[in-house]
Amino acid sequence: MKQRIEKATVALNELRKTLDINFYPNYHIAPFAGWLNDPNGLIYHNGTYHAFYQHHPFSENWGPMHWGHATSSDMVHWQHQPIALAPGDDYDRDGCFSGSAVSHDGKLYLFYTGHIWLKKEHDDSAIYQAQCLAISEDGIHFEKKGVVIPSPEEYMHFRDPKVWYQDGRWWMIVGARDKNDLGQVLLFNTEDLLNWSSDYQVIAKTDDNNVYMWECPDFFPLGDKFITLFSPQGKKPENYQFRNMFQSGYIIGQWAPGQAYNIEQSFQEIDHGHDFYAPQTFEAADGRRIAIAWMDMWESSMPSKADNWAGCFTVPRQLTLTKDNKVIMTPVVELDTLRQEHQSVNSIELPKNTAQLLKDNCESCEVELLWDLKDNTTEKFGFWLGQGLQFYVDGQSHRLILERHYPDNVISDYRSAELPATDKLKIRAYIDRSSIEIFINDGELTFSSRIYPKKDQRALKIFAINGPAKLESGNIWELAGSIK
């Protein structure tokens, strides 16, 4: 594997020479060159946070999957590390697909899916996938140990292992697609990480006959429940819901080793934007449950490919479970360390059909806006970012709408969610060079989307159309860069 990693590194460094920072994020993990998708192996190990990712270092397009790697002391300031895994062995000849990490006896264990095309490349009708292991003594360089769980009979699509320790045993869930083309997750266990039983339990399965695969499953306790977080493939749009090619969301239930998973709440989307896929969670040093996702979507327009890179992560988000069984996401408090120049926004009453500039250039910013919704009947109010993005309250449909319009990149679409029934609307937005993440009312709703404004079109304005609107207060911080 060493020679293959060296070859990939040479290609990566050559591509990096062409990097244009126009769309390259200031504080989100992204490759300096090549392709990135799913977050893998998120973990706190020996005093350091690790984030691995699906990576093709030879071009800006998806290809034979490697594992890229970055490390951090605080989940915010990240340092790129050497490529961790490269495909090419008999059991992962065509890709080291997604997986997870565990820390044990001072060593870092990576569990991943070895992928093989049985016919031609990209022909998903004939593949072989098995769960594999690689181990590191130093957290940087890894030695492959081969297959630990081969594909069970009657399963061809069998990928994305997530491993954890509970009640004296190690547990692994794996996303799968059965012979009837129905998505599900399989549960395995072992005592020693190396020798896994071939016996498994189907712990959850789709009740939607359109859903043929559950990718990137995660399974973890939150509050007094057990959450299954996953990305179903094949779900059909329903009015405003499920508009992306694939979704990410969760089901809620009760589980303990040796018992069935008692599902109490059906699938709910966890993010309402255009670009949120394959979220993976881990425990922070203090026990918080943190999630990071791929902030892109399959088969979407990716203008950064012109600069020989594609893909970035969301900011880390803390997950909590509300009393009414809703998983909410809020930015980790460590992001506050990026704040620099601060601008306070006093109360503003916008007359009908007016706009007001808040900041000339919002290239790398955190924005807080508090709107008064009481007795408001205005048709439309919110904020514009440049000439291509608007986020607003639609007074007619009573929905929050995130709308993009970048015709040069053939992007023109919107995503929406029901407007919360409240007198105040708190918007917290993280804006980077090619992304926006919006948190409503402390995580009640989130929107994550890639954006592609021109260099001179990043002004932040608030507006009110066909009626007045009142902004009670606001804050804007410029955010420092945090990726090396």
Side-chain angles (χ1 to χ4, degrees), residues 94-352:
D94 298 315
C96 297
F97 278 16
S98 290
S100 58
V102 296
S103 178
H104 181 58
D105 289 342
K107 300 177 183 178
L108 187 56
Y109 290 65
L110 301 184
F111 291 89
Y112 68 97
T113 298
H115 178 77
I116 300 172
W117 305 109
L118 297 178
K119 293 183 179 178
K120 61 181 180 179
E121 189 175 351
H122 304 303
D123 183 354
D124 279 348
S125 70
I127 63 174
Y128 183 81
Q129 297 182 325
Q131 310 322 310
C132 306
L133 172 64
I135 302 175
S136 174
E137 299 276 355
D138 64 2
I140 302 295
H141 305 92
F142 291 84
E143 180 183 351
K144 291 182 180 178
K145 299 297 184 181
V147 174
V148 293
I149 302 181
S151 182
E153 291 186 15
E154 300 186 352
Y155 288 95
M156 183 169 60
H157 290 262
F158 172 63
R159 56 183 176 268
D160 311 335
K162 180 65 187 294
V163 180
W164 77 99
Y165 187 75
Q166 183 176 341
D167 292 357
R169 299 189 70 82
W170 295 95
W171 303 85
M172 177 194 292
I173 60 166
V174 184
R177 174 179 181 174
D178 69 12
K179 63 181 181 180
N180 297 315
D181 292 331
L182 295 174
Q184 54 206 269
V185 288
L186 311 183
L187 178 67
F188 300 82
N189 69 87
T190 184
E191 291 183 347
D192 66 1
L193 287 175
L194 300 177
N195 301 290
W196 292 80
S197 171
S198 60
D199 295 334
Y200 64 88
Q201 173 187 355
V202 178
I203 200 157
K205 185 175 183 178
T206 184
D207 58 3
D208 181 343
N209 289 334
N210 295 309
V211 174
Y212 55 82
M213 181 67 191
W214 281 11
E215 279 204 324
C216 303
D218 203 341
F219 195 58
F220 54 90
L222 196 64
D224 61 351
K225 307 293 183 180
F226 242 88
I227 310 299
T228 306
L229 180 68
F230 61 101
S231 297
Q233 296 185 329
K235 203 163 186 65
K236 302 298 184 184
E238 297 177 13
N239 298 319
Y240 292 108
Q241 287 187 298
F242 316 136
R243 302 306 305 184
N244 294 335
M245 180 177 181
F246 300 132
Q247 296 73 42
S248 294
Y250 59 91
I251 55 179
I252 297 177
Q254 298 279 2
W255 179 80
Q259 298 181 9
Y261 183 44
N262 181 25
I263 298 173
E264 300 175 348
Q265 181 173 296
S266 60
F267 180 78
Q268 302 289 319
E269 277 192 282
I270 196 169
D271 188 275
H272 299 275
H274 301 81
D275 298 293
F276 189 93
Y277 193 74
Q280 186 175 103
T281 76
F282 62 101
E283 283 193 80
D286 59 3
R288 287 171 294 163
R289 178 64 57 174
I290 308 299
I292 297 175
W294 178 40
M295 194 162 38
D296 273 295
M297 183 51 58
W298 296 110
E299 299 186 12
S300 62
S301 179
M302 298 180 181
S304 69
K305 284 185 175 183
D307 300 321
N308 295 313
W309 71 274
C312 76
F313 284 174
T314 64
V315 296
R317 306 168 179 197
Q318 182 178 350
L319 302 187
T320 54
L321 185 66
T322 65
K323 293 180 180 179
D324 58 350
N325 278 352
K326 182 175 183 178
V327 176
I328 64 172
M329 301 187 290
T330 53
V332 295
V333 296
E334 287 85 349
L335 287 165
D336 292 355
T337 63
L338 297 180
R339 290 175 175 173
Q340 294 189 311
E341 181 180 331
H342 173 246
Q343 175 185 338
S344 179
V345 181
N346 295 324
S347 178
I348 298 173
E349 300 212 16
L350 289 171
K352 176 181 178 180

Side-chain angles (χ1 to χ4, degrees), residues 345-349 358 369-371 462 469-474:
V345 181
N346 295 324
S347 178
I348 298 173
E349 300 212 16
L358 296 185
L369 301 173
L370 183 63
W371 293 94
I462 56 174
K470 181 180 180 181
L471 181 73
E472 288 200 351
S473 62

